[in-house]
Amino acid sequence: MADYPEKPETGPTPGMEIKEEDILEAMRAIPGYLDITPGDFKEVYRLAFAHALERLSRAVTAAEIMTTDVVAVRPDTPVAEVAAAMGRRGVSGVPVVDAGHKVVGVISEKDFLSRIGVKDAKNFMSLVAGCLKTKGCVALPIKVALAGDLMSSPAVTVAPDTPVRAIAALLNDRGINRAPVTDPAGRLLGLVSRADIVKATMVRGSS
Amino acid sequence: MIGNYFRKMTGTTQSPPRVGLAEILWSWLGAFLGIGTVAYLNYGWLDQTGLFLLIGSLGASAVLIYGAVKSPLAQPRNFLGGHVISALIGVTAFKLLAPHLWLAATLAVAFSIAVMHATKTLHPPGGATALIAVISGPQVTNLGYLYALMPVAAGVLIMLAVALLVNNLAPHRRYPEFWW
């Protein structure tokens, strides 16, 4: 009842919203006096439902949905090679690992965009706009840079047993699209991207 | 801020539905037999001896254990625990604070609620049991801590026995929801 009296009208799943009339109907169907108001029952239902959803999604972990076939680069990989590898694999970000296979950072399209002068909206169309206003290739300033110069570091990583729901919240909060999965020593095990989470949701929904 | 404070006084939901006629009759019967047994023993047998069994808070308990049998407040743990704990607190308050009865009465009820909460034995009539220990004059206060045993625990156990026997006769009732 922390949000009393401004109770949110929709719970975590708007489609499952329960109405007080439903509760009153159910209470009428149960013989005997129930020592609870419809409003309190609704609150209990809302919290219990959210709890059940949380429990169900907690069952699936990073290890179960991560991509293990991951392209990783070294801090001393030239960015031209990094970009080529990302293009070849059709991914928008790769982890950067050191010689011991420990994750030291992540390079994504956003890191490229911000380093080649795309300031505010770090997306492809901002790049096109910038390109059309200048004479040469906008990527030239970073031609000699290495992965280590461009990467976002430290990387936002998750453990293999991190629940999918927590990863979704993490990606959303940090405004990132993927998180490397690491063992306790920080070594790369795989990668969970937004696409992996969407895929996992679809499989579970259809089963 | 202030607006929100006053808005909380307007209520947010509605009263639960009215129970059916059968439920009303079972509640009536439970109270009739429960209070009837205690009252008969009190006036028919104990009156001559100067002892007593019937205290006002048992009337309040009858509402719960015969009228709202599913309520957590009406379960044996709460019914017995709430009365006995509150009785002990009421007697203690009187012993420590008499003749300042206003303070004894106040603290008896306030502490009863707090301790019933803490021990998961909240039973509203317990507040009355604590109050009775302070305000009823020598007939009660002379009992000292015996008050918690007789009339309180004895009266409660009789009413509890009636609740078990009568509530479980009703097709749609079961009692208790939990014992402890």
Side-chain angles (χ1 to χ4, degrees), chain A residues 71 73 77-91 94 112:
Chain A
V71 182
V73 300
T77 309
V79 292
E81 272 180 43
V82 176
M86 284 167 61
R88 203 162 49 236
R89 295 291 295 251
V91 294
V94 290
F112 279 90

Side-chain angles (χ1 to χ4, degrees), chain A residues 4-6 20 24 27-28 30-39, chain B residues 4 7-8 12-17 19 23 67-68 70-71 73 172:
Chain A
Y4 200 82
E6 246 85 48
E20 277 200 20
L24 275 172
M27 289 174 82
R28 278 190 200 99
I30 297 171
Y33 181 80
L34 292 177
D35 191 11
I36 188 169
T37 62
Chain B
N4 189 39
R7 206 158 44 243
K8 284 162 78 173
T12 57
T13 182
Q14 50 192 313
S15 171
V19 296
E23 188 68 16
K70 290 178 192 290
S71 170
L73 304 174
H172 292 299

Side-chain angles (χ1 to χ4, degrees), chain A residues 19 23 28-29 33-34 80 83 107 111-112 137 149 152 184-185 187:
Chain A
K19 294 266 180 287
I23 295 160
R28 278 190 200 99
Y33 181 80
L34 292 177
I107 294 192
D111 297 313
F112 279 90
C137 172
D149 304 327
S152 296
R187 286 185 296 259

Side-chain angles (χ1 to χ4, degrees), chain A:
Chain A
M1 302 293 262
D3 46 9
Y4 200 82
E6 246 85 48
K7 291 177 191 170
E9 274 310 303
T10 50
T13 44
M16 292 303 289
E17 184 61 10
I18 194 168
K19 294 266 180 287
E20 277 200 20
E21 298 86 83
D22 302 327
I23 295 160
L24 275 172
E25 238 0 90
M27 289 174 82
R28 278 190 200 99
I30 297 171
Y33 181 80
L34 292 177
D35 191 11
I36 188 169
T37 62
D40 278 350
F41 183 91
K42 190 171 159 185
E43 188 72 3
V44 170
Y45 173 86
R46 194 176 66 79
L47 292 171
F49 194 83
H51 186 77
L53 284 183
E54 150 91 20
R55 177 170 47 78
L56 291 173
S57 63
R58 204 169 30 219
V60 181
T61 60
E64 294 170 67
I65 68 162
M66 67 184 181
T67 305
T68 48
D69 177 24
V70 182
V71 182
V73 300
R74 294 292 193 79
D76 57 0
T77 309
V79 292
E81 272 180 43
V82 176
M86 284 167 61
R88 203 162 49 236
R89 295 291 295 251
V91 294
S92 60
V94 290
V96 182
V97 297
D98 65 12
H101 218 55
K102 282 188 185 159
V103 176
V104 293
V106 171
I107 294 192
S108 70
E109 284 176 357
K110 272 183 203 164
D111 297 313
F112 279 90
L113 290 169
S114 62
R115 280 298 290 268
I116 59 185
V118 181
K119 287 269 161 13
D120 301 323
K122 292 171 186 149
N123 58 40
F124 177 68
M125 279 307 149
S126 308
L127 172 65
V128 172
C131 228
L132 294 174
K133 282 185 206 146
T134 52
K135 296 218 173 77
C137 172
V138 288
L140 282 178
I142 57 164
K143 195 169 179 177
V144 294
L146 303 175
D149 304 327
L150 240 70
M151 67 183 183
S152 296
S153 181
V156 178
T157 62
V158 297
D161 60 355
T162 306
V164 168
R165 194 181 173 85
I167 303 173
L170 183 70
L171 298 186
N172 192 51
D173 290 348
R174 301 294 189 92
I176 54 179
N177 293 313
R178 70 200 60 71
V181 183
T182 57
D183 66 11
R187 286 185 296 259
L188 183 68
L189 298 171
L191 197 73
V192 172
S193 68
R194 287 182 184 237
D196 292 324
I197 294 174
V198 171
K199 235 180 286 171
T201 311
M202 279 170 57
V203 171
R204 270 154 32 83
S206 63
S207 63

Side-chain angles (χ1 to χ4, degrees), chain B residues 100-165:
Chain B
H100 308 291
L101 291 189
W102 71 271
L103 189 59
T106 306
L107 292 179
V109 176
F111 271 107
S112 290
I113 296 174
V115 176
M116 284 192 286
H117 259 317
T119 54
K120 297 212 303 172
T121 57
L122 196 67
H123 184 68
T129 295
L131 201 51
I132 289 166
V134 176
I135 66 175
S136 301
Q139 198 199 1
V140 167
T141 53
N142 285 346
L143 293 173
Y145 285 107
L146 274 180
Y147 170 72
L149 272 184
M150 168 97 178
V152 173
V156 165
L157 289 173
I158 293 167
M159 297 228 331
L160 181 59
V162 174
L164 291 167
L165 295 173

